[in-house]
Amino acid sequence: MAEHPEKPAHGPREATRLAPSPTGALHLGNARTFLVTWAIARQRSWRIILRIEDLDGPRVKPGAIESCIDTLRWLGLDWDEGPTIQSHDLAPHADAMHTLASRALAYPCELTRTQIDEAANAPHAPDPGSPGAESRFPPELRPTDLAPRAFDNPDTNWRFLVPPGEVTFHDAFAGPVAQSPGATVGDFVVWTKRAQPAYQLAVVVDDHRQGVTQVVRGDDLLDSAARQLLLYRALGLAPEPTHTHLPLVVGPDGRRLAKRHGDTRLTAYRQAGVPAERVLGLLAHWCALLPAPEPITPAGFCSAFKLASMPPERVTFTEEDDRWLRTGS
Ligand code: GLU
């Protein structure tokens, strides 16, 4: 029997990825997600791909990619493939757009964010720090003359025609999930007027072509999973990955870790002379591996980590945590 034409050329081995966005330096929250992803992968012999996601967000500053890779190494993580740089080959994403457009599943849309927000009567998406955050696109703005077309103007935003109904899946950490992207975000952007794939399409195309079967990431992206599964189905890509969404690290105000919570960048701790094993010790404590923070090696973390024992609540980064990192007491 002929191979499925879009089946990845990789063998049956499971694979995951570390997918940092080099738009801001890695902080303790990113570090926890990457450490857990790495530990699960090493425990289960998954292939690990390092993929630098330099498409989302503002322009990537010179040196940011190298610094991001160097920081992951300093932390003690390693990988089997990559780094691959997302922006280096956008041909497969354009091919996916040709497929969607030819199936009348995507359409160009020149409406501005303000016009959309006005029509949706909703100011902004709730979590602008996440690549999946996007304003709701009200159904009345969808064009009425949808037909198969060519993907012939890549300098415009293109939206995916979201089918009605629920998408359900089982998240390996969050449990059963049911989402209705048609009701929450509506027709989301798959290609941007910067002539680049938008986050949702970029992740799906890259995960598929790199043979990623296990997506492990922060739960700020849980909302994006249904959108991504819809794209797998619309493009006829298989297999769909298993998702594991991990609780985020937040500041004392309950918001995702950011500059306002002080300098939690790993590079800042490193420059201040904080050993990586102390950082890992705090992350291990946050994962309920240690009753109190104490230095731990990557190998020690990996052998002791249990996904099932990880607390389901978001972790709050406190001043005491910062003091412990800086002083060790
Ligand atoms: N690059 C994204 C981020 O840093 C992660 C995307 C993903 O894991 O799907 O938030």
Side-chain angles (χ1 to χ4, degrees), residues 26-28 31 71 74-75 264-271 279:
L26 298 181
H27 58 56
L28 290 168
T71 304
W74 171 75
L75 209 53
T264 68
R265 290 174 307 151
L266 298 180
T267 45
Y269 288 116
R270 185 181 178 184
Q271 269 159 24
V279 174

Side-chain angles (χ1 to χ4, degrees), residues 17-23 26 30 33-34 51-56 86 129-132 199-200 202-204 207 215-218 220-221 224 228 243 245 256:
R17 71 314 198 265
L18 307 173
S21 300
T23 47
L26 298 181
N30 307 125
T33 304
F34 292 139
R51 183 171 76 222
I52 306 291
E53 304 215 318
D54 59 340
L55 292 181
D56 40 85
Q86 205 168 34
S130 170
Y199 161 71
Q200 307 292 353
V203 161
V204 167
D207 280 344
V215 170
V216 186
R217 59 189 177 191
D220 56 324
L221 292 168
S224 289
Q228 292 168 9
H243 289 99
H245 286 93
R256 57 190 267 136

Side-chain angles (χ1 to χ4, degrees), residues 45-130:
S45 302
W46 298 347
R47 194 161 56 90
I48 302 178
I49 300 155
L50 175 61
R51 183 171 76 222
I52 306 291
E53 304 215 318
D54 59 340
L55 292 181
D56 40 85
R59 189 176 275 283
V60 176
K61 295 197 196 81
I65 292 179
E66 293 73 16
S67 158
C68 181
I69 297 168
D70 186 48
T71 304
L72 291 172
R73 286 214 176 95
W74 171 75
L75 209 53
L77 307 191
D78 59 2
W79 43 89
D80 308 306
E81 199 179 309
T84 59
I85 313 289
Q86 205 168 34
S87 65
H88 284 187
D89 180 13
L90 300 180
H93 309 84
D95 284 349
M97 284 305 302
H98 285 293
T99 304
L100 293 177
S102 70
R103 294 179 183 173
L105 292 174
Y107 57 87
C109 171
E110 287 179 3
L111 296 170
T112 64
R113 177 177 275 231
T114 315
Q115 288 170 318
I116 295 165
D117 283 347
E118 274 168 16
N121 203 11
H124 282 293
D127 186 4
S130 170

